[in-house]
Amino acid sequence: MKLCFLVEEQYRHDGMPLEVIHQLRAWDHQVDVLWPGRSLIRISEAIQAGSHDAWVLKTVSGGPGLTLLEAAASVGLTTVNDVRAIRGVRDKALAAVIARGKGLPVPVTYAAVRPEEFAEIPEAEFPLVVKPADGSSGRAVRLVATPDRLLDPVEPGGPAGPDGPAGGLLIAQPYVPNSGTDLKVYSVAGELYATERCSPLHPAHAVRERQVPLTPEVARLTAEIGAVFGLDLYGVDILLGPDGPVIVDINDFPSFRQVPDAVARVSAAVLDLARHGTRGRETSVREAVRETGPVNGREAGPVPVPTAGQQQPARPVPVTGQPGAAALPAAGQPGATAAPAPPFAVPSVPRPARPAASIGGGR
């Protein structure tokens, strides 16, 4: 296949996506790389119908790469995560509205340009978590205990509240009491992996980042997020609050840290999505649970859901050594890896029809 990756300056030395690019080339696929922000791009020639089988984006929020990806989609080129899906999660204020509108557990969200405007929020809702609506990688996220602390510096050496970037939208959400540990769940085209790590709001809380078992409740919630936003490769930050799991962030094309054989899995997913697009299901995850009963155990296997016109379980991304693993090279070939089975696999749930399949930059 012929693929084009858009990689912005912040990620030009990052394992994701550079190692994926190397892996795809090792599998004898042609991969072109464009570098928005540090090179001249002849877009009239680069973005042409039929020029590539798929375009893949690794970008920062608000970066120029997303515009180029949208240009590729506009002439009918396939993108890996849909462009509209990327837009929907890059703006955290928009993402909060979409998620709550679909009944997903997201904190009440306020928006303002100046931090002092959050002083109008009832003091009973403090402490607040305040962050940029276009932020990423935990940048400028802070916990504000009381209204009089809203203008404290964002971070050591960073700009004070009233001197922050002009016109940048901020969001504020009531703090969800938790253990100080964030749960990060990654989805690789339907396969889910959970990791825990230290919360940026509790840097003194020592937590070793590691893969952890994924409960059926969190797995279904993560799958629903993919369906609501139309994402195939994404990550979700979840807090286990006193009333259950709460979504605090959604990222397209994240780091996939702690995912076993992440490079091989993500590379295989890129090829599969480039070839076939979104693998929608006629049956939702909730319907599957009702039909099959509760999933027992903390490391449950796939919930079998037939695809349209078929009578077989939903197919996860192939893993080397398993049936249907044509996307991965056989053992002994260049780039071959022995990928262990995932801790939890949940089929995709129905999502709106879309003209193309894009991977877009996350954390």
Side-chain angles (χ1 to χ4, degrees), residues 201-294:
L201 298 176
H202 301 282
H205 184 67
V207 176
R208 180 176 62 87
E209 186 172 352
R210 63 191 181 95
Q211 188 176 357
V212 295
L214 182 60
T215 66
E217 180 183 19
V218 172
R220 289 174 179 80
L221 177 59
T222 303
E224 287 181 44
I225 292 167
V228 166
F229 287 91
L231 293 164
D232 293 296
L233 295 169
Y234 60 98
V236 184
D237 290 346
I238 294 175
L239 294 178
L240 301 180
D243 298 319
V246 178
I247 302 164
V248 292
D249 202 10
I250 305 169
N251 314 128
D252 59 285
F253 200 162
S255 65
F256 297 104
R257 291 203 304 267
Q258 302 299 323
V259 172
D261 290 302
V263 172
R265 292 184 185 278
V266 173
S267 300
V270 169
L271 294 175
D272 191 60
L273 293 167
R275 290 189 181 106
H276 308 297
T278 302
R279 289 170 289 185
R281 308 295 181 204
E282 286 188 337
T283 308
S284 72
V285 171
R286 285 200 181 98
E287 289 170 340
V289 174
R290 284 198 294 269
E291 291 171 2
T292 61

Side-chain angles (χ1 to χ4, degrees), residues 295-320:
V295 181
N296 295 317
R298 299 182 66 194
E299 295 185 89
V303 178
V305 180
T307 58
Q310 297 179 341
Q311 300 297 322
Q312 58 193 38
R315 179 180 61 84
V317 175
V319 176
T320 302

Side-chain angles (χ1 to χ4, degrees), residues 4-89:
C4 182
F5 275 68
L6 291 162
V7 183
E8 292 192 352
E9 183 70 13
Q10 179 173 328
Y11 299 106
R12 68 188 182 97
H13 299 300
D14 202 67
M16 283 288 172
L18 297 186
E19 292 180 15
V20 171
I21 292 170
H22 295 324
Q23 180 68 88
L24 291 169
R25 286 172 173 169
W27 292 345
D28 294 327
H29 297 282
Q30 179 179 335
V31 182
D32 297 324
V33 183
L34 298 179
W35 306 91
R38 69 183 184 104
S39 62
L40 174 67
I41 299 174
R42 299 180 182 275
I43 59 173
S44 298
E45 299 174 7
I47 302 174
Q48 297 179 13
S51 60
H52 293 87
D53 294 297
W55 283 54
V56 181
L57 173 66
K58 181 67 173 181
T59 181
V60 294
S61 296
L66 187 51
T67 296
L68 296 176
L69 195 73
E70 289 175 323
S74 73
V75 298
L77 298 176
T78 296
T79 61
V80 183
N81 282 320
D82 181 82
V83 169
R84 294 165 297 178
I86 297 172
R87 284 286 186 192
V89 297

Side-chain angles (χ1 to χ4, degrees), residues 74-223:
S74 73
V75 298
L77 298 176
T78 296
T79 61
V80 183
N81 282 320
D82 181 82
V83 169
R84 294 165 297 178
I86 297 172
R87 284 286 186 192
V89 297
R90 289 297 177 82
D91 185 330
K92 299 183 187 302
L94 174 61
V97 172
I98 294 172
R100 284 183 66 87
K102 294 297 184 179
L104 295 173
V106 175
V108 172
T109 304
Y110 300 89
V113 173
R114 298 178 300 173
E116 60 265 32
E117 292 169 350
F118 293 131
E120 297 181 23
I121 299 173
E123 190 165 357
E125 296 195 39
F126 281 76
L128 298 177
V129 177
V130 179
K131 54 189 173 182
D134 65 349
S136 62
S137 304
R139 176 178 60 86
V141 177
R142 61 193 180 115
L143 184 62
V144 180
T146 56
D148 62 316
R149 306 298 298 272
L150 284 166
L151 297 184
D152 285 358
V154 173
E155 56 188 6
D163 299 320
L169 190 66
L170 301 170
I171 65 169
Q173 297 171 325
Y175 172 75
V176 177
N178 65 89
S179 66
T181 300
D182 281 357
L183 184 65
K184 184 83 173 189
V185 185
Y186 297 107
S187 175
V188 184
E191 291 185 353
L192 305 181
Y193 305 85
T195 66
E196 68 174 11
R197 59 189 183 184
C198 181
S199 167
L201 298 176
H202 301 282
H205 184 67
V207 176
R208 180 176 62 87
E209 186 172 352
R210 63 191 181 95
Q211 188 176 357
V212 295
L214 182 60
T215 66
E217 180 183 19
V218 172
R220 289 174 179 80
L221 177 59
T222 303

